[in-house]
Amino acid sequence: MTNLSVEAIAQVEQPLPGAPDNWRRFFSFSTDHKVIGIQYLVTAFFFFLVGGLLAMIMRGELITPESDLVDRAVYNAMFTMHGTIMLFLWTFPALLGLSNYLVPLMIGAQDMAFPRLNAVAFWMVPVFGFILMASFFVPGGPAQSGWWAYPPVSLQNPTGNLITGQTLWLLAVAISGVASIMGAVNFVTTIARMRAPGMTWFRMPVFVWTVLAAQIIQLFGLPALTAGAVMLLLDITAGTSFFDPAKGGDPILFQHFFWFYSHPAVYVIILPIFGVFSEIFPVYARKPLFGYKVVAISSLIITGLSGVVWVHHMFASGTPGWMRMLFMATTMLISVPTGIKVFAWVATIWGGKLRLNTPMLFALGGLTMFVFAGVTGIMLAAVPFDIHVNNTYFVVGHFHYVIYGAVVMGMYAALYHWFPKMTGRMYSEGLGKLHFALTFLGTNLNFFPMHPLGLMGMPRRVASYDPEFAFWNVIASLGGFLLGISTLPFLLNFIGSWVQGEKAPKNPWRAIGLEWLISSPPSAENFEELPIVIAEPYGYGKDEPLVANPDALEVAHESR
Amino acid sequence: MNLRLIVSIGTAAIALTLISLWMGQQSYGWFPPQASAESILVDQLFSFLVALGTFIFLGVIGVIVYAVLFQQAGKYDTSDGPPIEGNVPLEIIWTAIPFALVIWIAFYSYQIYDQMSILGPMEHVHKTGIAMAAPAKDVAPADEGSGAIAPIEVHARQWVWEFRYPDRNVTSTELHLPNNQRVKLVLQSEDVLHGFFVPAFRIKQDIIPGRAIDFEFTPIREGRYRLRDSQYSGTYFAAMQADVVVDSPEAYEQWLTAAAAQPPTVAYNRAFDEYRLAQNPISPGWKIVEPAAPPLVNVSTSPSSNPPSGEVSNP
């Protein structure tokens, strides 16, 4: 049952010769999941730099209390675009890229279930990225209503034009939604139907479990966001009144549509990073993942709970008391499966033989910051406290610890860990460690000060603020600039190493996993013969083979 | 060996507890002054969360740091660690304890919320235009001095705060409140979402156009505090601030009387001033929503309390 699509895949022809050393394939409509994965990653990283540049301009504005560096309208456009770019053009595509590259390799498939759909979904990213960037050049500038686009502010159209930054923004978000649904269908099908012989559910690496859990969220959540976006677009362009209170609409309804997807979206982002942690800790601690099955299942529990917590974003909106209490309880519950994972990682590390390579450093740093974010997350779930800090910098600090501290650090950990596999080259460990030091310092300098600022009562999204907030803002801005600088050793390292790094063996980390049994980079069809899986993942310390046919995959299984 | 382990874990736990309790005490200092009865409750809850959070954070991070410091593989050691795949009792414990903890936190938060009773809007919302003068009387404010203060209307518009005392015929752009009395506000917006947020009171409520939201709290400390718009409201969002003055009941009464005697003047408004100056060298020329004209009020805030950006403020 697991190899039913193999013949179908064989018929899919590559537009260009699929030779792994043909660099032009990265600029083609390739259907190879590994090429698409790298296309996603590189495109996403470009937009990460764009979004980061916007953030640094914002930090430049916020280094003084006055509104003096950029115009207020420009500042508002910047935080709107910063949030939108970082979510829809960096984290989502980057994680899709990682998942695209790894999932078929990890489950022993030769490609995704629908390779052409995969390519179409990717090529929508540059399309809506272009639309979003183009909105900088329309009269009135880009959208300025924040990435939530709450009506009535998002309905206000002072230019009177039909094509405004806001309509382009909504168009881009809708296209992004369609692309994500395509990706979700593809991933869920691939994981359900394309596993190699012997790759049972409980032999799948946790990364695959987390991708599955995340993509199921996309399937149930995105329709709500897309519906909300379309209704908002109709309100702006066609004069409907779903959300316009002046015409009897309900602006709060939009918030429900928006957060019904956009809260679970946080788990779409963080779950694959949980997967990355679960892959990396066993390799560099040389121990099996502690409580593998529980960690795997807890991902699905998170998926379930993530669908019933969205109102915690709206505690200060028009939300009645009973609803506040109900969603406080569900929100707190989600910390239980998350806590299980954290404890499992700590127990995996404990008593191991740790090797602090760059991926391990990033994973440990990411875990540390995630635990901090978890603590502040529980605080935010407590309604009376949330009412004070809702829409203040405390929330901004909290979610940047999640999204930069855990997600970006986890992403870097993954990129370093699988760089040899993807490129066939080794990266420079020295530059990697420098990158880690700058990133860890910069992230904490940038985002820790936001917590005291929020407690003191500084609202988010302000272009100017009272002088009492200046001290922490200066530190945060310096941290922000440091984070900008921290990408330089990374770029130098990866570009330099890709071009002329030392050749990578097929398994430089002595890791256990199907992807490490084949050459670096893998051939176009991944596996010459499908692997026959005979063991659970993470068999560190146990001398047991992972597959029955290691020699038939490509090259002989490296013996230890 | 086993005894040594128990002693060292016990010592660590005690040290951790003491640090956590100390952090919980410190946390009171991270807030603005406690200027409302609600703020005392919120700070108490936060202190509890800080203590608990410190314990969990330092506990987890302590284990990681210990492993990183003392459990690294030797340079030429290519062997694996022990193949421990799990431990069912341990996994049950670390599922059950967090579960119990969050139930504790949720219950405690619920109690605090119950004591605050700052009003969820649903039961107290009435559509604008309907009998503003007779707000829902069925909900007892749970305060001995109830009914002493007539409701104060808070009107938000892009980007003005305007306060009306209908029973005294006073309008102001500065919110004056009597100390130690349950205050009732009626929050209304004329255009977009705004948020009523006074950090010193630890309270916040979004203001939704088309609804009037009753909102109650009790100031307990005389002084001048800041009201900030907490729900993003467009271009001059950050400039939409006002002063809140908590007076003694006598001073409050005097202020109302004096204010009623003052002829209405055009209020100072930061957004309007910044927009009107129009010599903004950094403007990209994007067309934006024009700020509402400053209202005519009996009492206006002084420009120095919220001076315009980019311009030396001239009174």
Side-chain angles (χ1 to χ4, degrees):
Chain A
M1 76 135 212
T2 42
N3 58 358
L4 85 170
S5 303
V6 172
E7 286 162 62
I9 289 164
Q11 287 161 12
V12 174
E13 47 183 323
Q14 297 288 322
L16 281 172
D21 53 348
N22 181 353
W23 59 269
R24 275 180 303 178
R25 73 195 190 283
F26 292 114
F27 298 91
S28 73
F29 190 82
S30 172
T31 54
D32 180 344
H33 73 97
K34 300 183 294 300
V35 174
I36 295 173
I38 290 171
Q39 285 173 325
Y40 263 121
L41 286 168
V42 172
T43 312
F45 200 84
F46 167 77
F47 282 110
F48 180 51
L49 295 178
V50 174
L53 199 64
L54 296 180
M56 283 163 72
I57 298 172
M58 284 154 62
R59 285 314 325 173
E61 169 66 74
L62 292 177
I63 207 164
T64 57
E66 299 273 281
S67 165
D68 46 12
L69 181 67
V70 292
D71 184 62
R72 287 182 189 275
V74 175
Y75 184 85
N76 297 342
M78 285 195 166
F79 73 66
T80 303
M81 296 299 272
H82 166 76
T84 311
I85 288 170
M86 286 307 199
L87 287 165
F88 294 106
L89 286 164
W90 155 241
T91 43
F92 283 142
L95 291 164
L96 280 177
L98 196 64
S99 312
N100 234 302
Y101 195 93
L102 292 175
V103 165
L105 291 177
M106 284 180 161
I107 61 171
Q110 290 182 318
D111 206 322
M112 297 283 283
F114 310 112
R116 283 180 193 280
L117 186 69
N118 201 17
V120 171
F122 163 71
W123 281 103
M124 284 187 163
V125 175
V127 169
F128 72 77
F130 178 80
I131 293 175
L132 212 53
M133 290 297 126
S135 71
F136 274 103
F137 304 100
V138 298
Q144 292 154 44
S145 57
W147 83 276
W148 309 345
Y150 274 8
V153 168
S154 55
L155 294 174
Q156 292 185 316
N157 183 2
T159 63
N161 297 345
L162 187 64
I163 304 298
T164 61
Q166 191 65 55
T167 51
L168 289 179
W169 184 91
L170 283 165
L171 196 64
V173 168
I175 296 175
S176 159
V178 173
S180 295
I181 291 175
M182 287 180 184
V185 169
N186 210 346
F187 277 109
V188 173
T189 312
T190 304
I191 294 169
R193 307 292 293 164
M194 304 271 291
R195 281 170 286 127
M199 178 59 83
T200 59
W201 290 105
F202 283 112
R203 282 182 186 163
M204 295 196 313
V206 167
F207 182 77
V208 180
W209 275 100
T210 56
V211 170
L212 178 67
Q215 297 300 325
I216 290 173
I217 294 177
Q218 297 282 46
L219 286 181
F220 78 69
L222 266 169
L225 177 73
T226 312
V230 170
M231 287 157 91
L232 194 57
L233 197 60
L234 287 175
D235 270 9
I236 296 174
T237 55
T240 56
S241 56
F242 293 109
F243 307 127
D244 188 354
K247 299 183 201 160
D250 185 359
I252 303 300
L253 182 64
F254 177 83
Q255 300 182 10
H256 284 288
F257 275 117
F258 182 81
W259 289 116
F260 182 77
Y261 170 67
S262 296
H263 183 77
V266 177
Y267 295 95
V268 176
I269 293 166
I270 195 72
L271 275 166
I273 295 298
F274 289 167
V276 167
F277 288 159
S278 305
E279 297 304 315
I280 285 180
F281 289 133
V283 176
Y284 297 93
R286 312 305 306 169
K287 274 181 66 199
L289 181 67
F290 196 95
Y292 159 71
K293 284 185 183 170
V294 180
V295 173
I297 291 296
S298 66
S299 306
L300 292 180
I301 296 175
I302 290 175
T303 296
L305 284 174
S306 76
V308 291
V309 297
W310 77 96
V311 176
H312 67 223
H313 293 269
M314 301 165 54
F315 281 158
S317 300
T319 307
W322 65 267
M323 210 192 258
R324 285 171 167 169
M325 293 302 111
L326 181 69
F327 280 87
M328 172 167 78
T330 55
T331 303
M332 291 206 170
L333 277 184
I334 213 163
S335 66
V336 176
T338 313
I340 289 174
K341 283 180 190 282
V342 169
F343 293 132
W345 295 324
V346 174
T348 304
I349 296 165
W350 184 256
K353 305 213 165 182
L354 271 60
R355 197 158 263 113
L356 298 180
N357 293 14
T358 310
M360 184 62 162
L361 287 174
F362 270 106
L364 288 169
L367 176 59
T368 304
M369 298 195 65
F370 180 73
V371 174
F372 187 83
V375 168
T376 54
I378 289 288
M379 292 173 174
L380 286 167
V383 171
F385 174 66
D386 179 76
I387 286 177
H388 174 56
V389 290
N390 185 294
N391 273 347
T392 67
Y393 260 93
F394 192 88
V395 177
V396 181
H398 160 75
F399 74 71
H400 278 93
Y401 263 70
V402 178
I403 226 107
Y404 210 112
V407 175
V408 175
M409 301 266 264
M411 195 69 212
Y412 279 136
L415 290 177
Y416 281 102
H417 183 65
W418 281 290
F419 181 81
K421 183 54 62 184
M422 291 179 180
T423 63
R425 306 278 183 167
M426 298 304 287
Y427 62 83
S428 150
E429 199 63 65
L431 277 175
K433 285 178 175 159
L434 173 68
H435 177 215
F436 168 74
L438 294 179
T439 308
F440 191 71
L441 189 66
T443 313
N444 283 293
L445 273 182
N446 193 350
F447 303 122
F448 180 79
M450 296 181 175
H451 296 86
L453 284 173
L455 293 175
M456 290 159 73
M458 177 172 165
R460 66 192 289 192
R461 300 182 162 166
V462 291
S464 60
Y465 53 82
D466 287 338
E468 65 196 88
F469 302 128
F471 171 74
W472 288 111
N473 270 301
V474 170
I475 294 178
S477 290
L478 295 178
F481 303 144
L482 185 61
L483 275 187
I485 293 167
S486 78
T487 56
L488 298 179
F490 171 78
L491 288 171
L492 180 67
N493 195 354
F494 269 37
I495 294 171
S497 301
W498 201 342
V499 174
Q500 54 175 27
E502 185 193 328
K503 290 255 190 248
K506 64 182 177 179
N507 189 1
W509 316 125
R510 298 184 295 118
I512 295 175
L514 293 181
E515 78 270 32
W516 301 108
L517 298 176
I518 50 178
S519 61
S520 305
S523 60
E525 60 277 11
N526 297 347
F527 302 98
E528 198 64 36
E529 180 183 297
L530 286 182
I532 299 163
V533 182
I534 54 171
E536 287 190 0
Y538 316 114
Y540 297 96
K542 302 188 293 186
D543 241 341
E544 59 179 27
L546 182 64
V547 295
N549 54 346
D551 298 331
L553 301 178
E554 232 185 34
V555 261
H557 178 34
E558 219 174 30
S559 53
R560 275 185 278 117
Chain B
M1 181 59 208
N2 222 345
L3 184 71
R4 229 183 93 187
L5 187 71
I6 290 168
V7 168
S8 49
I9 288 178
T11 316
I14 291 169
L16 213 53
T17 310
L18 291 175
I19 294 173
S20 304
L21 290 174
W22 180 78
M23 281 290 278
Q25 285 310 305
Q26 290 299 303
S27 74
Y28 287 99
W30 306 341
F31 285 110
Q34 291 181 328
S36 75
E38 289 72 18
S39 65
I40 295 173
L41 297 168
V42 171
D43 294 5
Q44 201 182 319
L45 174 66
F46 182 65
S47 169
F48 164 74
L49 291 172
V50 166
L52 207 60
T54 307
F55 190 88
I56 293 167
F57 181 77
L58 291 183
V60 172
I61 300 310
V63 174
I64 296 176
V65 168
Y66 184 92
V68 165
L69 291 179
F70 301 111
Q71 299 181 342
Q72 286 192 39
K75 198 171 179 186
Y76 301 103
D77 180 3
T78 57
S79 65
D80 285 351
I84 302 164
E85 293 187 309
N87 181 328
V88 175
L90 194 59
E91 286 168 55
I92 290 174
I93 287 174
W94 73 41
T95 308
I97 290 181
F99 191 75
L101 274 182
V102 294
I103 287 179
W104 183 22
I105 298 171
F107 187 72
Y108 185 45
S109 304
Y110 170 75
Q111 282 182 318
I112 295 273
Y113 183 74
D114 209 35
Q115 289 174 50
M116 284 169 71
S117 63
I118 47 169
L119 299 196
M122 212 61 156
E123 313 86 284
H124 313 281
V125 165
H126 32 102
K127 292 279 177 191
T128 33
I130 305 166
M132 197 60 49
K137 277 276 191 289
D138 49 323
V139 185
D143 198 71
E144 61 276 12
S146 62
I149 301 298
I152 302 166
E153 292 177 16
V154 176
H155 292 262
R157 68 183 82 92
Q158 287 172 317
W159 289 270
V160 182
W161 290 109
E162 188 188 340
F163 311 101
R164 295 185 196 154
Y165 301 75
D167 58 321
R168 305 294 288 264
N169 252 331
V170 168
T171 55
S172 167
T173 52
E174 197 171 79
L175 179 61
H176 279 249
L177 301 171
N179 199 11
N180 288 322
Q181 294 191 42
R182 192 78 175 165
V183 180
K184 181 176 253 180
L185 304 181
V186 182
L187 309 176
Q188 295 172 74
S189 165
E190 293 169 19
D191 36 44
V192 298
L193 298 172
H194 295 278
F196 182 93
F197 175 38
V198 183
F201 296 160
R202 317 280 191 276
I203 49 161
K204 180 179 289 137
Q205 175 61 49
D206 283 9
I207 310 177
I208 299 155
R211 299 186 193 177
I213 298 175
D214 290 353
F215 196 59
E216 289 184 13
F217 55 93
T218 312
I220 55 165
R221 185 177 180 274
E222 288 174 31
R224 184 173 282 267
Y225 309 104
R226 194 67 124 178
L227 161 66
R228 300 197 173 91
D229 188 1
S230 61
Q231 187 59 276
Y232 177 68
S233 59
T235 312
Y236 288 96
F237 164 66
M240 190 164 160
Q241 310 193 81
D243 276 2
V244 180
V245 183
V246 179
D247 295 319
S248 68
E250 304 77 47
Y252 175 71
E253 203 49 45
Q254 278 173 13
W255 178 81
L256 275 178
T257 314
Q262 278 182 37
T265 50
V266 176
Y268 162 75
N269 180 265
R270 180 174 178 181
F272 189 75
D273 262 31
E274 280 191 28
Y275 183 75
R276 200 187 37 181
L277 287 173
Q279 46 190 31
N280 184 349
I282 49 179
S283 169
W286 296 341
K287 204 162 169 14
I288 57 164
V289 176
E290 283 182 33
L296 277 175
V297 291
N298 302 96
V299 183
S300 169
T301 13
S302 94
S304 62
S305 75
N306 193 16
S309 281
E311 195 56 27
V312 185
S313 59
N314 39 348

